[in-house]
Every structure is written in structure tokens, then in C-alpha cells.
Amino acid sequence: MAGRVSVALASGDGIGPEIVEATLELFRIAGVLEHIEFRPVDMGAAVFAKGNTRGMTDEAIRTVEDCGILFKGPMETPKGGGGKSINVTARKLWNAYANLRVFKTLPGVETVYSRAGLSIDMCIVRENIEDTYGGVEHRLSNDVIQCKRLISAPGCDEVHRFAFQTARKMGLKAIHCGHKANIMKMTDGLFLDRFRATAKDFPELTAGDVIVDALCMNLVVKPQQYQMVVLPNLQGDIVSDLCAGLVGGLGFAPSANIGNHISIFEAVHGTAPDIAGKGIANPTSIILSGLMMLRHLCFGQHAANIENALLATLESGVHTGDFGDKKTPAVGTRDFVRAVADRLGDKPRTVAPVPVPDPAATSFVRPPRPAGQQVIRTFKNLVSHVVGCDIYLDTPLSPISLAEEMNRAAVDSPFRLTLISNRGTQVWPTGSVYTECVDYYRVRFELKEGTPPGAFGQSRAIALLDRIAESFTVCSYELLRTFDGTKGFSLAQGQ
Ligand code: NAI
């Protein structure tokens, strides 16, 4: 049908096909399919099973890229064998950098908060690409494995801008940045700095910050105090599941993964293998995710009508087995959706109905395909100098003996040994006998006193590494740099 918007559709694994099929049936009855053409794609367990390690066919990739929108059911992550999560791959491959999750108290979904008369209505925006989800991991020694936590300034800028723009569009008054910048001063420090920098362009919004552990406690004690919280990837992942718990569980939280070109809409929960194929799964999360998609595609009127019908259904006590009044029989997925379809045109009575907007004057415009991979940058033209290096060694030597060896190795170089640490704690020149050490020492060299930054380039630091590598097992290596005169590296604990 001409003029319809194309959406790639992946049914997913486990309960995925059941809840996706039921949602499409609801969309059909609500008239959505007159405006949207769903194009099925092969992604997930069946594709992995054929030996495709990405879990998606080339044809599926082309279709998603053509459409710019993917509506997906949950997909299982292969256990073991190094297979990566297809859900994470999809978000990263297509740069869907902001994960927006909405948590609202729903009628008929009883929680400790609803019983106490507390209504929850908040959003989490989780950075979706970086952090430990880069999946950059290495075994460095017999006993030590590293996961690199990468946070970039442009990555922060993209997610913060999205969060502030969304808060503005939603008419919110306040936005918070959740972080752990008191401990990870550089990575989370950057995330917080870029939040504050973005806040300057949105003066109507009160922008605050909160340390993530305090945030978790505050959310449990007084969840109404937050309207939107933006967090780095891993912290955002954990906090969003906590918020799902506040409104009744994973079955009620929708999720949108938004990028500049491609966006992915999916339920927050997984494939629920324990109930797959039984026809009893709760489709609320995927329906709500579908409504986020409809709004993204400028079909706000359809979204509001379906949401009001869903609220009226929940309010009436119709429920699947995972929630609701256990004294009334649970219905299956299809009957639940039929109950929603029967209420199209109704409005909930115990909660405020969702305002139904006029049909959108504008329609969704698919952003043009980028000509090539973009290099995104925030800071340019900073003056950077190598001022030292951290060399990580696997050695049985004591800190004192290691220091003697390192001092000897550096004698003809422009660098001097300033620190030895183990698991981030200084063990030389001072330290405590109570600090337990593992087989992964850091030895830090910095420019000798009186040598100005910039006097030597990186090749002299690498020459020192080369020298040490002749007689020691090197696990890894980092150059120490200044950026416009500011140290680009952290101090050791106790330094
Ligand atoms: P899960 O969310 O699939 O299940 C946890 C519990 O919640 C189970 O008892 C399940 O029956 C129940 N549950 C989940 N969704 C439900 C629904 N709609 N209606 C009724 N009950 C529901 O989490 P689990 O077991 O940790 O993961 C299973 C698989 O899903 C794994 O392979 C995991 O990697 C994948 N997964 C995929 C996600 C995605 O596609 N975005 C997200 C989370 C997990």
C-alpha cells in the first residue's frame, strides 16, 4: 500500500512470537496497519543455530537499514561459546545510543507503592553503546582479567542531548544525572561534566546529579522525587530494572533504543523460556513499546487510543498469570489482547486518560543513510604531551625488588619510576603490609624533574617499554598524557 511507513519486524525467541503476533493483531484492529507495513526479518536463535555468529542475516541488516525502525521481540543470548548478545549488537551496530524506558504506575497492577497510594511516573535514559558494554576484555595474567570501560565525550553528548530534548518535549521540570564520579573520577566525571555542559542549553529544566548508590536508595524510599534520570550504560541497566520493580515488574516497562538514523523498539523483559509456547505471556511491555514506536512515527492519535484501551483493560481487572488479583482467573496472551481491542474507544476511569492528540500534521521522515562512517568529536585541538607511561607486569618480585629493577631499566631514559601499585593501590614507595597483591603490578614512570612536557615524544616511552620487555612479562601498557596541561590519568589509591 503506497504511503505506508516501513518497519522491520523481528518476532524474537521464546515468548517473542506470541507477544509480537498478539500486538500486531491489536494494531490491525486499531487501524495501525493501514499506515505501517511490517517487514519480517530473520534475527535471533534460529539464525545463530545456522552458524551465523551475528544472529542476523545480511538481508535482515539491509531491511532494518532501509526501514530505519526495528520492532523486535526479546531474543535469547547464546550461553557460553563467546556468542555476543544480539540485542546489544543491534543497538551498537546501528548506533541506537539512547535507551529510553518509561515507568508508570498502571491501574490493576498492584505494588507496595500503589497500595500506599503513591503514583510513579518517571523515565530512565541509559547510554546504550559505551561503558563496559564495549565488551573489550582481556586476560592479562594468570589471575587477572580486564574489562575496559570506555566513556567518550561525544558519546556522552549524544545521550545527554537526547535526554534533555526528550524532557523538554515531555514538559518535565527536572532531570538528574546518575553516576559514580566520586570513585571513577575520570570516566563518570566526564559523563557528569558533559551533562552539566548540555544543561546550559536547557535553562528551563532543573538539572541535578546523584551518586548511583544513593539514587537506588532514594528510588526505593521516595520514587516520586525523580522525573528523568540519565545514566551510563551498566548503571542505567541496573537502575532501570530496579524501576521496573517499582511499577510491578519487567512485564510493564517499555523501551525505545533511539539513534540518529535507526531506532529499535522492544520489551524490557527477555524470552521467558519457562513459559514460552504456553500462550500465557503478558504482552503489556511489548504493546507499550509499540506505542512508543507509534509516537516516534507521528501516530500519536493511534498510540493514545490503544493506551487508553490498555489502561481500561488493566483497570477492569483482566490480567495474565504474572500479575493481578489471583482470586480472578488469569487470561492468556490472545484473550488479554482481545480484551484491549474490545475497549478501543474507551477511557480509563480511575487514572487520568492519555490525551488523544489531533492527527499529526507532520509525518515521519526517515533520516537519509549516512554516506560513510562518521567520526564524532567534542574536543578538538587540545595540546597533548606524553609525560610518562604505566607498564603492567606479571612478576613474582616484591615491590621493593621490582622498584630496584625498574630504576635500573630507566637510568638512561628521560623517565623516573614514581609509583608501583597493585589492583590500583600504591605499594611503593610507600604501602601497607596489609595490602594483598596479585600477579599484575603497575609500574609508573614520569618525566624526570626539570624535564618539561613535550621535551620527549611517545617513542622514548615506548623505548622504555621495549627495554623492560627484554626481561619482564608485560601484560599491558598505557601512555600518560597531559591535555592542555591537565593530567589525563588518575592517581593510585594512597598516592
Ligand atoms: P526474562 O525476562 O526472560 O524472565 C525472567 C522472569 O520473568 C521469568 O520467570 C519469566 O517467565 C518472567 N517474564 C518475563 N517476561 C514475561 C512476560 N512478558 N509475561 C510473563 N512473565 C514474564 O529473563 P531471563 O530468564 O533472565 O532471560 C531469558 C533470555 O532472555 C536470556 O537468553 C536473555 O539473554 C534474554 N533477554 C533478552 C532481552 C532482550 O531481547 N532485550 C532482555 C533480557 C533478557
Side-chain angles (χ1 to χ4, degrees):
M1 196 186 295
R4 285 199 298 173
V5 178
S6 290
V7 167
L9 174 74
S11 295
D13 309 318
I15 59 168
E18 302 160 43
I19 55 173
V20 167
E21 188 198 313
T23 305
L24 291 190
E25 175 61 7
L26 176 61
F27 281 4
R28 187 188 64 73
I29 297 168
V32 170
L33 302 194
E34 288 161 31
H35 306 280
I36 296 180
E37 173 207 20
F38 285 95
R39 293 169 58 185
V41 294
D42 288 329
M43 291 175 73
V47 183
F48 278 114
K50 287 183 190 149
N52 179 324
T53 50
R54 268 214 285 214
M56 49 181 114
T57 61
D58 291 347
E59 179 66 27
I61 293 175
R62 265 196 302 278
T63 306
V64 173
E65 293 182 358
D66 276 356
C67 298
I69 304 287
L70 170 63
F71 185 47
K72 70 177 274 297
M75 292 179 191
E76 79 180 43
T77 301
K79 293 196 179 80
K84 296 258 182 189
S85 157
I86 188 172
N87 306 305
V88 177
T89 303
R91 292 168 204 159
K92 288 162 75 76
L93 184 67
W94 292 309
N95 202 46
Y97 53 77
N99 181 213
L100 173 65
R101 295 185 183 182
V102 181
F103 304 97
K104 269 191 196 172
T105 300
L106 293 168
V109 183
E110 216 178 69
T111 66
V112 282
Y113 300 96
S114 67
R115 277 198 291 275
L118 290 177
S119 178
I120 295 167
D121 185 358
M122 62 169 298
C123 303
I124 297 289
V125 176
R126 160 189 172 195
E127 195 287 317
N128 229 3
I129 309 277
E130 307 190 333
D131 198 337
T132 45
Y133 284 66
V136 185
E137 298 189 287
H138 298 95
R139 183 168 183 167
L140 300 169
S141 66
N142 287 338
D143 287 344
V144 176
I145 293 179
Q146 159 182 272
C147 175
K148 278 204 174 173
R149 180 166 195 260
L150 300 174
I151 303 279
S152 77
C156 296
D157 288 350
E158 282 192 319
V159 72
H160 289 319
R161 188 148 295 279
F162 169 80
F164 275 93
Q165 280 169 346
T166 306
R168 175 178 278 174
K169 238 185 267 168
M170 293 171 73
L172 305 185
K173 294 196 166 50
I175 175 167
H176 284 82
C177 176
H179 61 84
K180 195 74 186 167
N182 53 331
I183 302 297
M184 289 168 284
K185 293 180 192 297
M186 297 194 65
T187 44
D188 275 31
L190 177 64
F191 192 79
L192 178 56
D193 280 351
R194 299 316 300 160
F195 173 83
R196 289 178 175 147
T198 311
K200 294 194 178 118
D201 294 336
F202 298 83
E204 79 278 18
L205 284 159
T206 304
D209 73 280
V210 53
I211 293 174
V212 67
D213 37 344
L215 171 67
C216 289
M217 191 198 65
N218 296 345
L219 281 168
V220 172
V221 172
K222 199 177 163 200
Q224 330 83 284
Q225 66 187 295
Y226 298 107
Q227 297 184 355
M228 177 179 281
V229 187
V230 52
L231 295 124
N233 204 339
L234 178 60
Q235 296 166 29
D237 192 9
I238 297 165
V239 171
S240 13
D241 274 24
L242 186 156
C243 291
L246 302 178
V247 296
L250 293 175
F252 301 98
S255 156
N257 302 282
I258 304 290
N260 293 334
H261 295 91
I262 297 176
S263 298
I264 304 167
F265 296 83
E266 61 182 337
V268 169
H269 57 74
T271 59
D274 50 334
I275 57 166
K278 295 184 179 164
I280 57 170
N282 177 359
T284 305
S285 175
I286 190 115
I287 294 173
L288 289 171
S289 309
L291 301 188
M292 288 175 93
M293 179 181 71
L294 294 187
R295 292 188 169 108
H296 184 82
L297 295 173
C298 306
F299 298 119
Q301 200 180 38
H302 289 81
N305 282 330
I306 298 171
E307 189 164 356
N308 280 328
L310 175 64
L311 294 174
T313 306
L314 293 169
E315 184 183 69
S316 73
V318 175
H319 66 95
T320 46
D322 55 311
F323 75 104
D325 186 349
K326 299 291 172 213
K327 291 197 267 324
T328 62
V331 299
T333 312
R334 282 195 179 153
D335 285 341
F336 182 87
V337 162
R338 215 162 288 139
V340 179
D342 288 346
R343 286 170 177 78
L344 282 166
D346 290 359
K347 300 223 161 108
R349 281 184 295 273
T350 58
V351 292
V354 178
V356 181
D358 292 332
T362 53
S363 51
F364 173 71
V365 180
R366 158 102 182 75
R369 185 185 172 87
Q373 277 167 336
Q374 310 289 308
V375 176
I376 48 172
R377 299 196 64 177
T378 295
F379 299 117
K380 296 179 193 124
N381 307 322
L382 299 194
V383 177
S384 172
H385 293 304
V386 170
V387 293
C389 57
D390 280 347
I391 303 178
Y392 293 82
L393 301 173
D394 179 350
T395 170
L397 293 179
S398 70
I400 290 173
S401 310
L402 182 58
E404 283 166 11
E405 293 283 341
M406 293 299 111
N407 277 324
R408 249 194 303 280
V411 99
D412 298 329
S413 86
F415 303 101
R416 69 190 172 94
L417 180 70
T418 56
L419 154 84
I420 299 176
S421 71
N422 198 289
R423 289 193 285 175
T425 305
Q426 178 171 301
V427 293
W428 183 93
T430 58
S432 162
V433 289
Y434 293 102
T435 305
E436 285 183 331
C437 295
V438 297
D439 61 2
Y440 181 65
Y441 280 102
R442 166 175 60 175
V443 293
R444 171 166 286 182
F445 295 94
E446 293 179 74
L447 284 172
K448 284 178 178 159
E449 256 151 54
T451 311
F456 296 96
Q458 62 188 19
S459 57
R460 293 298 294 273
I462 292 167
L464 177 60
L465 169 72
D466 215 28
R467 175 103 183 254
I468 290 170
E470 285 168 11
S471 38
F472 282 85
T473 301
V474 176
C475 305
S476 62
Y477 182 70
E478 302 285 351
L479 288 168
L480 306 182
R481 295 179 185 273
T482 56
F483 293 84
D484 276 356
T486 303
K487 279 183 179 174
F489 47 94
S490 60
L491 300 180
Q493 207 77 40
Q495 195 178 8

